[in-house]
Each structure stands twice: as structure tokens, then as C-alpha cells.
Amino acid sequence: MESTVTTERPGYGQLLRTRGAWTFLLPGFAARQPFAMLTISIVLLVQHTTGSYGAAGAAAAATGVSMALFAPYSGRLADRYGQRAVLVPGVLVHAVSGLALTALALAHAPLWALFAAAVPTGASVPQIGPMVRARWGVQLQDSPLMTTAAAFESVTDELTFVVGPLLATALCTALDPAAGLVTEATLTLVGGLLFAARKSTQPPVGADAGHARVKHASALRVPGVRVLAVTFLGIGSVFGGMQVGLAAFTESIGEPGLNGVLYGTFAAGNMLSGVVCGTLAWKIAPQRRLVLGYTALALTASALWTAHSVLLLAGLGLLVGMCIAPSLITGYTLVEDLVPAGARTEAFTWLTGAVALGQAAAVTVAGQLEDRLWDGAGFLVPAAGTLLALATLAALRSRLAARPQTRTVARGVGHRLPVTVD
């Protein structure tokens, strides 16, 4: 397959002119929406049908936990059998189970029945981000545009987190409480099937890969990956705590429609800082950069529970969002240094799963706090999650030392989802 290698200075415009890029970028963007729409859609629907944020958070948590546990295995199967072989049955299962969850919630089914539908819904969330990055690797190979592609994927992920919650909230509040989940299932099915249909850009598998398949130990055996997983758990607590906290806050002031706007402001800060990080040539070592960035994240997240007005909450949310992207991008940069190329896809999916698991735990705890304490008590979860993760990161930062034989990537690489660079 033809690669795009050039001596020109890498840039986003040049990247997007890569042959065949748009054929997987557009359907891939649609199929990425589950990660951004799924949790908030479940929270809004189940809270509407049960009147309990605790029940809503528990149902959403079941989805997040199953997604976290199954994501690494989905990536491993895609590496072994090809993306199409994993995607086609996966999106079908996701659509069916998501619609079943919607029907059960509207029928006021017991919580255990919601759990039974939530587990396959989360387990079948398509890992489109890793697959897009793997396709960039095939298209670009050793091109200097690989770093630009990784930064571009970071911005795309953040744009998803701007569009997804806004779309889900608008559908659930203005149209019908079930509209968010129905739309999410539809986008996943259509986008996933269109993405899978583009076989020409799919990475080769098996004998066609051009190299022997080498067995390797689990990426979790790398100490630095375990430290990063804890760090990403804390970031997941911010996403989950913000979703429940903002929903409860806007409901308490009689303006539920502002939920999507406030969460969109938070996600916009995340996206904008991701754009900047992807264009900078950092002189600070990534280990130190991660500690500094995560300290800023913990401090800003710890102030959320004090906000008692829409404007103050919007401003704090914007700052929290601006602190998340640098931490995530730096964490993924460190994976490239710590993990051999043959295990990076698994490593990135473990970190993606850590974010999902932290989000799942956060929506559960935040939902209970909202039910039992005051409106906005759910914001205590991001504070606790990031402070605990920061303490772990500071104590074990020496384990993030790069392997001597590994090249250090100067600029930010992909965010939240895996990237394979051989």
C-alpha cells in the first residue's frame, strides 16, 4: 500500500489530503459517538423513568464497567482477525442491546433487568478510535505526518465530547427521554458498518501483515502502564462526576436544557487545549509534564463543588476541561516510550478502559451523593478521584522512566483511544 512520506513540514491540511483518509474518518466519527453519548443518555433516561440519580448512575456504571473490561480484548481480536470481523457483529450487538435497554427503561423494568441489558451494551461499544489510528499507521507508515495524525485524533476525540453530550441532552430534553439512546444506537450501527466496509484501508492481519506474529506478555505487566491506568481512572472520575453533577445542578435550578451547554463548555476546553498541545514542541520531560498537568487538574476539579451559579460552574468546567487534554496526551506519549510496539494497542485499550471504569465508578458514587446529600454533591467525586490519582502518580512517577532503546515523541500523541505506531 502506498504511504505518504514527504519532506514538507507536517500539518493538518497535508494530513487530510492523504489518499483514502476521508473514507474512514467520516464514518469513524459517527461510530465514535457511543463513548460520548452513552453514559449521559442512560443517566437522563433512567433518572426520568425512576426518579433516582442513584439508579441512573448504577445502570450507567454497569455499561462503563463492561466497556472497560472488554475493550482490551476487542482490540486484541481486531489485531488478530481484522477490524471488519470484530466490528460487524459488535455494532449489531450494540444496537440491539441498546434498544433493549431503552425499552426496558420505558417499561419501568426492575434495576436488575436494566443491568442485564447494560452489560452487553457496554461490552459491544466499538473501539473505533484505535482502529482509526491503526489505519493512519498503514496509510502513513514512517511519514513525519504520524505525529500530526495522532494530534488530529486527539482533537477529534474532544470534538466528539463536545457534540455527543450536547446532542444527547438536546434529544432527551427537547424530544423524548429515550431519543438519546435510540440515536446513539443508530449512529453506531450505520457508522460502524460504513467504517467496516472500507476494507482497503484496514491494517493487514495474519500472513499479510509482513512480519511474524510475536507473543508478548500483557501490557499491564509494565509498571508504568499500571501507574498510568490509575492516573486515567482519576480522569474518568472527572467525566462521570461532571455528567451526574451537571445534570443534577441544572435540574435543581429548573433549567435541564443547560446541562448539555455546560458539559459542552467543559468538553470545549478539553478540545481547545488538545489542539494547542498537539502543535507544541515540548522541552519539559513527559514525566514531569504529566505531574504538573495533573496537579492543575486536581486543583481545578477540587473547586467544582463550591460553584453555586451557572456562570461560575461554566468557568470552572472550562478550566477543568483545559487541564484534562494535556494529561491524557502526555500519558499516551509515555506509552509509546514504555511499551514495545507489539503491545501498544493493548496498552492503549487498557488506558481507555481505565477512563471508562473511572467514569462508571464516578456516576455510581455521584448518583448516590446527589440522592442523599445536596444538589451538586456529585462534584465531590472528581475532587476525590483526581487527588487520589495525583498522590499515586507523585509517589510512583519514577516508574514512568522511558526504556533507553525507545524513541521519545516530542509532541502529543493520541488521546483517550489507542494508537498503533510500528
Side-chain angles (χ1 to χ4, degrees), residues 95 99 181-191:
L99 292 176
L181 267 180
V182 172
T183 303
E184 182 271 337
T186 303
L187 285 173
T188 302
L189 181 63
V190 175

Side-chain angles (χ1 to χ4, degrees), residues 12-411:
Y12 291 117
Q14 182 186 348
L15 176 73
L16 295 177
R17 290 193 294 271
T18 301
R19 179 178 299 177
W22 288 104
T23 65
F24 62 83
L25 286 179
L26 290 179
F29 182 78
R32 283 182 179 191
Q33 295 308 308
F35 202 89
M37 293 182 68
L38 188 57
T39 300
I40 189 65
S41 295
I42 292 174
V43 168
L44 293 176
L45 174 60
V46 177
Q47 194 280 329
H48 173 80
T49 58
T50 65
S52 169
Y53 280 105
T63 304
V65 169
S66 61
M67 178 167 55
L69 294 177
F70 279 87
Y73 301 102
S74 174
R76 189 177 300 173
L77 289 173
D79 285 339
R80 178 173 298 179
Y81 300 108
Q83 295 181 0
R84 179 185 174 89
V86 174
L87 265 179
V88 173
V91 296
L92 291 172
V93 170
H94 184 79
V96 171
S97 56
L99 292 176
L101 176 59
T102 304
L104 288 169
L106 292 176
H108 301 280
L111 193 56
W112 66 264
L114 298 183
F115 287 165
V119 169
T121 301
S124 57
V125 169
Q127 298 300 307
I128 296 295
M131 295 180 181
V132 170
R133 286 180 168 88
R135 293 188 184 216
W136 277 125
V138 171
Q139 296 295 100
L140 301 175
Q141 297 182 17
D142 295 324
S143 166
L145 282 170
M146 268 308 306
T147 301
T148 307
F152 175 80
E153 288 305 308
S154 171
V155 176
T156 302
D157 288 334
E158 298 308 335
L159 180 60
T160 299
F161 268 81
V162 173
V163 174
L166 282 173
L167 177 60
T169 303
L171 290 169
C172 290
T173 57
L175 189 58
D176 186 271
L181 267 180
V182 172
T183 303
E184 182 271 337
T186 303
L187 285 173
T188 302
L189 181 63
V190 175
L193 291 178
L194 289 175
F195 184 85
R198 302 303 304 177
K199 293 190 292 184
S200 62
T201 57
Q202 176 178 273
V205 295
D208 296 328
H211 56 79
R213 190 178 297 160
V214 180
K215 287 187 176 181
H216 58 78
S218 170
L220 279 180
R221 297 189 65 179
V222 179
V225 172
R226 297 197 294 270
V227 175
L228 290 174
V230 174
T231 304
F232 279 44
L233 277 170
I235 292 174
S237 75
V238 177
F239 288 116
M242 288 287 284
Q243 287 177 340
V244 174
L246 289 175
F249 176 81
T250 54
E251 185 73 27
S252 70
I253 63 173
E255 295 288 347
L258 287 177
N259 180 25
V261 176
L262 288 174
Y263 196 87
T265 302
F266 158 72
N270 202 351
M271 181 182 68
L272 291 174
S273 63
V275 172
V276 174
C277 286
T279 60
L280 294 177
W282 295 97
K283 296 183 179 180
I284 303 175
Q287 295 88 345
R288 184 183 178 194
R289 194 162 76 236
L290 180 59
V291 173
L292 292 175
Y294 211 88
T295 300
L297 172 61
L299 291 175
T300 53
S302 297
L304 285 169
W305 71 274
T306 65
H308 300 293
S309 71
V310 172
L311 288 178
L312 182 57
L313 192 54
L316 283 173
L318 181 67
L319 290 175
V320 172
M322 293 176 68
C323 294
I324 285 181
S327 297
L328 284 167
I329 291 173
T330 306
Y332 282 118
T333 301
L334 284 165
V335 168
E336 283 208 343
D337 294 338
L338 294 167
V339 182
R344 284 178 193 156
T345 297
E346 182 192 351
F348 283 125
T349 48
W350 278 118
L351 297 189
T352 303
V355 174
L357 187 60
Q359 180 175 325
V363 295
T364 303
V365 177
Q368 294 294 330
L369 292 178
E370 292 291 350
D371 283 346
R372 298 172 185 272
L373 300 179
W374 65 88
D375 294 324
F379 290 127
L380 293 172
V381 175
T386 53
L387 288 172
L388 290 172
L390 176 61
T392 303
L393 174 62
L396 302 176
R397 62 185 181 277
S398 61
R399 299 189 180 184
L400 298 177
R403 296 180 304 131
Q405 68 271 28
T406 305
R407 175 178 57 89
T408 300
V409 179
R411 287 162 53 186

